[in-house]
Amino acid sequence: MLDQFRLVDPGWKDFLEIALVGFVLYRVLLLLQGTRAVQMLLGIVVLVFTYAVAYALKLTMITYLLDKVFTYGVFALLIIFQPELRAALAHIGQARGVGRFFRRMEVSEVAEEIADAVERLSRSGIGAIVAIERESNLGDYLQSGSEMQAKVSADLLATIFTPYSPLHDGAVIVRGDTIIGAGCILPLSQAPFADRSLGTRHRAALGLSEESDALVIVVSEETATISIASHGRLTRNLTAQQLRDLLAGQAPPRPAESPILELHG
């Protein structure tokens, strides 16, 4: 009887399939980590367990109702998990060479200009958010702001984020050595923030990094601290030199569990 099962005598294809399925499940869990989807998945597990118990005990009414829930629940899941599905598809579509340009840079002129502007804004306590485009195209976000074609400079960035200027509330988008947009609205992350000092700019930075491979720099208006979001992780309390090193390709360590990493000095 046992000879009828393939896994008794597994081949290399079986191990390959197990490895691929395990990797996909691991990546899915990473995408869901720190989001509301985790609680929703727990709710689904409870429903499945309830259905199994009701089926074993022959509770026909409960099994009938849960059958209907599972039949139409697929469509509800597509709506509920829409942000996570969009982020997952974005990650799948990203090329393996993400950030190639910034990893090769050695404190280039663009990195210096951005770092100088961020340091100046931090000293003045002026809030700012700068999204640096990498492999994922950020052109869709230009429609929510004002398109530009201006060479990156510290003076221009500082001017854009000056309080009461027309574009200071939105995000600046940088492509290569050019500012292509300002005053742009970015998607907000749904990750829970325990720290009340993290406002809309931090949520927008984290949200864009969840849906693309962009590098998003944030200056807090409340605390004047410098943060950077990348691959769904927010690294806080960066110094100006640490920011320069990161733009040059020497990224700080990514946290293993929390979507927010505290970095000091």
Side-chain angles (χ1 to χ4, degrees), residues 199-212:
T200 304
R201 286 190 179 92
H202 295 89
R203 285 197 176 277
L206 194 57
L208 182 62
S209 73
E210 290 171 348
E211 297 189 9
S212 72

Side-chain angles (χ1 to χ4, degrees), residues 21-88:
V21 171
F23 177 75
V24 170
L25 290 176
Y26 172 72
R27 297 302 301 177
V28 169
L29 290 175
L30 284 182
L31 287 174
L32 296 180
Q33 179 184 355
T35 67
R36 293 180 300 178
V38 176
Q39 287 76 23
M40 295 177 186
L41 283 177
L42 291 176
I44 294 173
V45 170
V46 171
L47 287 178
V48 171
F49 178 76
T50 303
Y51 179 84
V53 172
Y55 183 83
L57 298 177
K58 300 186 183 303
L59 303 176
T60 55
M61 180 176 292
I62 295 178
T63 54
Y64 173 79
L65 292 175
L66 288 178
D67 274 333
K68 295 300 181 183
V69 170
F70 292 144
T71 299
Y72 300 103
V74 175
F75 302 102
L77 289 177
L78 291 176
I79 298 173
I80 293 172
F81 291 106
Q82 186 266 342
E84 287 75 18
L85 291 173
R86 185 171 59 180

Side-chain angles (χ1 to χ4, degrees), residues 11-265:
W12 66 269
K13 290 184 179 179
D14 300 298
F15 290 110
L16 179 61
E17 286 182 327
I18 292 172
L20 288 176
V21 171
F23 177 75
V24 170
L25 290 176
Y26 172 72
R27 297 302 301 177
V28 169
L29 290 175
L30 284 182
L31 287 174
L32 296 180
Q33 179 184 355
T35 67
R36 293 180 300 178
V38 176
Q39 287 76 23
M40 295 177 186
L41 283 177
L42 291 176
I44 294 173
V45 170
V46 171
L47 287 178
V48 171
F49 178 76
T50 303
Y51 179 84
V53 172
Y55 183 83
L57 298 177
K58 300 186 183 303
L59 303 176
T60 55
M61 180 176 292
I62 295 178
T63 54
Y64 173 79
L65 292 175
L66 288 178
D67 274 333
K68 295 300 181 183
V69 170
F70 292 144
T71 299
Y72 300 103
V74 175
F75 302 102
L77 289 177
L78 291 176
I79 298 173
I80 293 172
F81 291 106
Q82 186 266 342
E84 287 75 18
L85 291 173
R86 185 171 59 180
L89 291 175
H91 280 290
I92 292 173
Q94 290 174 13
R96 292 298 300 169
V98 291
R100 203 170 291 158
F101 171 72
F102 281 95
R103 285 197 295 268
R104 289 199 301 261
M105 316 171 37
E106 291 185 2
V107 194
S108 69
E109 180 182 351
V110 174
E112 279 293 329
E113 293 292 335
I114 294 175
D116 288 346
V118 169
E119 184 177 16
R120 190 185 307 176
L121 292 167
S122 176
R123 285 201 307 264
S124 302
I126 298 175
I129 177 170
V130 180
I132 301 174
E133 183 183 84
R134 297 200 279 189
E135 296 293 331
S136 299
N137 191 294
L138 302 181
D140 291 343
Y141 301 103
L142 298 178
Q143 300 176 359
S144 62
S146 299
E147 294 191 34
M148 300 177 61
Q149 286 294 323
K151 186 177 176 61
V152 174
S153 72
D155 290 337
L156 179 56
L157 288 172
T159 301
I160 289 174
F161 291 111
T162 299
Y164 307 111
S165 70
L167 302 174
H168 82 283
D169 272 339
V172 163
I173 298 178
V174 174
R175 174 182 293 162
D177 63 349
T178 304
I179 297 175
I180 61 172
C184 300
I185 306 302
L186 304 181
L188 301 182
S189 172
Q190 299 302 317
F193 285 179
D195 192 339
R196 294 181 179 273
S197 67
L198 298 176
T200 304
R201 286 190 179 92
H202 295 89
R203 285 197 176 277
L206 194 57
L208 182 62
S209 73
E210 290 171 348
E211 297 189 9
S212 72
D213 66 343
L215 201 64
V216 192
I217 304 165
V218 181
V219 178
S220 172
E221 190 169 355
E222 288 76 17
T223 63
T225 56
I226 301 171
S227 304
I228 194 161
S230 177
H231 296 86
R233 296 291 183 266
L234 182 67
T235 306
R236 303 179 61 195
N237 298 323
L238 289 165
T239 65
Q241 185 56 50
Q242 286 171 333
L243 179 61
R244 288 184 175 86
D245 292 341
L246 187 138
L247 293 177
Q250 303 173 32
R254 294 175 59 187
E257 299 179 357
S258 172
I260 301 174
L261 172 66
E262 297 284 352
L263 195 66
H264 299 281

